[in-house]
Amino acid sequence: RPLPQAETHKLLDALPREQRKLDYDVNPTQFTVDGIPRFLQPLLADRRSVRDLSTILEGIQEACVATVRSVPAIVAHVRIRLARQISDSHVGPQGFMPLITLSPEWEAAFLEALTGPADDRQLAMAPSKLQAFMQSLRTAFDTAAAAGDAPVLLTSSGIRGHVRAIVERFRPGTPVLSQMEIFPKVRIRTVGTI
């Protein structure tokens, strides 16, 4: 469900006084209080906490300073800033994050299937290819689950959003992370490859 403006204002009001002032001069057309929900909504849809609002706002500002224009690109930058939180949420009881990685062949297949301008790329993959991907994903995750692991799917940052959109359709709740979202100090273990 969309994040209401009133909820956004409550989150901002809860920030410490020194963090409340936003730098509206960064990019006033993209970064206003009323525009913040469009950056928070994709995080919430991906089951990410928005409690660390100061880090999220800093990430938005950094992306705007770097002249990033699209909401997905800005959200991707914010996700990198939240790498510790994201990684910690996927560390299992054994003390490591189990990963299923996307093979170079699938990485290439997704990259080749992207069409359109850089700010608004769309995935145009053949249905038979998508079906093969979904079957491979099911097999890899079922094998990992049988071994007691709850892995995340690891992709490159350029295709993470597109892969997540496909995975969400038939396996909701499966975390899809980019390599940039793995906090450097977290212990990882590869439990499979697609």
Side-chain angles (χ1 to χ4, degrees):
R1 78 177 172 85
L3 186 68
Q5 292 292 339
E7 290 296 317
T8 303
H9 287 282
K10 276 188 203 175
L11 288 170
L12 291 171
D13 290 343
L15 286 172
R17 183 179 281 301
E18 64 273 4
Q19 294 177 349
R20 282 189 200 165
K21 185 178 181 309
L22 301 176
D23 184 5
Y24 297 105
D25 298 329
V26 172
N27 189 338
T29 61
Q30 277 194 324
F31 191 65
T32 64
V33 172
D34 292 339
I36 291 173
R38 66 185 168 152
F39 303 113
L40 297 179
Q41 199 59 47
L43 294 170
L44 293 170
D46 202 20
R47 297 171 184 84
R48 298 289 157 220
S49 171
V50 294
R51 287 187 180 155
D52 190 0
L53 192 57
S54 58
T55 300
I56 292 169
L57 295 175
E58 288 170 10
I60 294 169
Q61 286 178 325
E62 287 171 359
C64 290
V65 167
T67 65
V68 175
R69 301 268 182 246
S70 71
V71 171
I74 292 170
V75 171
H77 181 79
V78 169
R79 288 178 61 90
I80 292 167
R81 289 291 311 269
L82 295 173
R84 172 178 265 169
Q85 171 196 329
I86 290 171
S87 294
D88 286 349
S89 70
H90 296 294
V91 172
Q94 305 88 356
F96 62 85
M97 180 192 304
L99 304 173
I100 292 179
T101 59
L102 210 55
S103 68
E105 293 80 19
W106 278 113
E107 288 277 345
F110 273 93
L111 281 171
E112 290 168 8
L114 294 178
T115 62
D119 283 349
D120 189 29
R121 307 218 57 194
Q122 301 296 318
L123 185 67
M125 188 177 278
S128 60
K129 192 88 167 165
L130 284 175
Q131 197 67 18
F133 171 73
M134 291 186 287
Q135 185 56 47
S136 297
L137 184 87
R138 261 191 211 105
T139 301
F141 273 84
D142 290 348
T143 301
D149 290 316
V152 302
L153 179 60
L154 187 67
T155 72
S156 62
S157 56
I159 63 170
R160 190 206 75 82
H162 301 287
V163 172
R164 183 193 173 277
I166 297 301
V167 171
E168 185 70 20
R169 290 181 193 161
F170 72 96
R171 218 181 148 87
T174 300
V176 180
L177 303 182
S178 78
Q179 295 142 345
M180 299 293 293
E181 295 168 351
I182 305 293
F183 189 66
K185 294 184 180 181
V186 74
R187 290 178 48 218
I188 59 173
R189 187 177 87 186
T190 302
V191 297
T193 301
I194 297 173

